[in-house]
Amino acid sequence: MMNPQADSPFAGLKQVDAGLLSVGYAEAGPAEGPAVILLHGWPYDIHSYAAVAPSLAAAGFRVIVPYLRGYGPTRFLSGATVRNGQQSALGADAVALMDALGIGDAVIGGFDWGARTANVVAALWPGRCRAMVSVSGYLIGNQQAGRAALPPAAELSWWYQFYFATERGRAGYDRYRREFARLIWHTASPRWKFSDADFGRTAASFDNPDHVAIVIHNYRWRLGLAGGEERYDELERRLAASPVITVPAITLEGDANGAPHPEPAAYQDKFTGPYEHRTITGGIGHNLPHEAPQAFTQAVIDAASY
């Protein structure tokens, strides 16, 4: 049987207390280099950046790739902390990690949940975000928008969100975490021929004891079916106004992304600083950093130079 740690391209994971969490993360590149923070999504993990991180390190960047709350070795410091997956909580986690590592500002890149988190940091803490690379562009949302009905075809693509709204869905996801993730990988990236080894390395991160709670809360919160925490109310109030992103930004989209995503024209006005959108061709799906690592790496390098 494969040992996910032994077979991981990230050697010697680190751990640091940051805010509410003990964060597990990989680090590459010179400690004095300009910082880059790479954020993964669901149902993925840090291995989406297995080829990106060493390339950026070779270019002189200090690269930090953390496991999000509910993934891999990242743990809550207190059993009493709410297992909260709302967008502002994940953004605050990223800033707390930067504080813990002594990073003043960084280029922040991400896809899926990681892209939304990068958006949140760029919008709420622009002084901490040197530049941003975001797959699928602008993903900041709010509960009011999440309650709005969509056309049937669009609703169909969010089937798992409605499944997670039920206790049957919670139990099903808990029981079939790997099967669920493999299905999402196939549907979100229909032309990506990933290996069993690639999948297995990432699937191990779903064994985190808080994983199911975080995932379920994230999707229920979006629909207004679960509350947030008071500590994040002011941040969510600001995010509900759909704030513009002023930092230099490059947005990316794969030409075969099978996951729900907005069209670039729908969000281009949300970026008021130096901005470029790039569509990556060749059958590239949702997990763009893994499927097109050279394109993602180049976007980070270019965004950092703005």
Side-chain angles (χ1 to χ4, degrees):
M1 180 178 293
M2 185 188 72
N3 181 329
Q5 294 300 321
D7 292 335
S8 173
F10 291 112
L13 291 178
K14 299 181 178 182
Q15 203 83 18
V16 65
D17 289 354
L20 302 174
L21 302 171
S22 173
V23 179
Y25 68 99
E27 181 169 0
E32 68 279 4
V36 174
I37 297 176
L38 302 176
L39 302 171
H40 68 82
W42 171 85
Y44 306 95
D45 78 340
I46 67 171
H47 292 96
S48 292
Y49 297 103
V52 173
S55 295
L56 288 173
F61 292 94
R62 179 189 181 189
V63 185
I64 307 295
V65 194
Y67 284 93
L68 301 185
R69 53 170 62 193
Y71 293 79
T74 292
R75 296 290 188 274
F76 285 89
L77 294 173
S78 170
T81 303
V82 176
R83 273 38 178 178
N84 181 345
Q86 71 187 106
Q87 61 185 351
S88 57
L90 295 172
D93 288 348
V95 174
L97 177 61
M98 294 173 69
D99 290 343
L101 296 178
I103 295 172
D105 62 25
V107 179
I108 302 178
F111 73 103
D112 195 82
W113 290 18
R116 182 175 294 104
T117 304
N119 292 174
V120 168
V121 176
L124 298 183
W125 296 278
R128 308 302 298 274
C129 186
R130 167 70 183 81
M132 188 192 73
V133 174
S134 173
V135 177
S136 298
Y138 188 92
L139 298 175
I140 293 171
N142 61 72
Q143 287 185 316
Q144 183 176 356
R147 293 187 181 101
L150 301 174
E155 297 281 29
L156 177 62
S157 66
W158 285 108
W159 68 270
Y160 52 87
Q161 185 168 245
F162 302 112
Y163 181 63
F164 290 160
T166 69
E167 286 308 301
R168 178 188 176 100
R170 174 193 285 273
Y173 185 60
D174 192 10
R175 181 175 180 180
Y176 297 111
R177 301 181 201 191
R178 282 164 170 75
E179 294 88 344
F180 208 103
R182 188 180 286 273
L183 174 62
I184 296 296
W185 280 34
H186 279 299
T187 57
S189 299
R191 295 174 60 184
W192 180 35
K193 307 301 182 185
F194 57 87
S195 69
D196 288 342
D198 283 334
F199 181 77
R201 277 189 289 266
T202 288
S205 73
F206 310 146
D207 293 333
N208 183 295
D210 300 307
H211 178 73
V212 173
I214 294 297
V215 171
I216 297 299
H217 184 268
N218 177 284
Y219 287 104
R220 290 185 181 180
W221 181 87
R222 295 192 205 186
L223 293 177
L225 301 176
E229 289 181 83
E230 185 177 356
R231 72 173 85 201
Y232 302 115
D233 284 351
E234 176 58 21
L235 298 180
E236 291 296 347
R237 185 191 66 78
R238 294 167 61 189
L239 292 173
S242 298
V244 297
I245 290 174
T246 60
V247 306
I250 294 176
T251 59
L252 305 172
E253 190 60 82
D255 65 342
N257 185 0
H261 62 278
E263 292 300 320
Y267 53 72
Q268 61 186 3
D269 292 343
K270 289 297 183 182
F271 299 94
T272 61
Y275 172 67
E276 179 184 354
H277 176 77
R278 300 174 181 177
T279 298
I280 311 303
T281 60
I284 304 304
H286 191 59
N287 189 2
L288 192 148
H290 198 152
E291 299 173 59
Q294 292 181 333
F296 194 94
T297 298
Q298 192 60 53
V300 171
I301 292 171
D302 292 344
S305 70
Y306 283 165

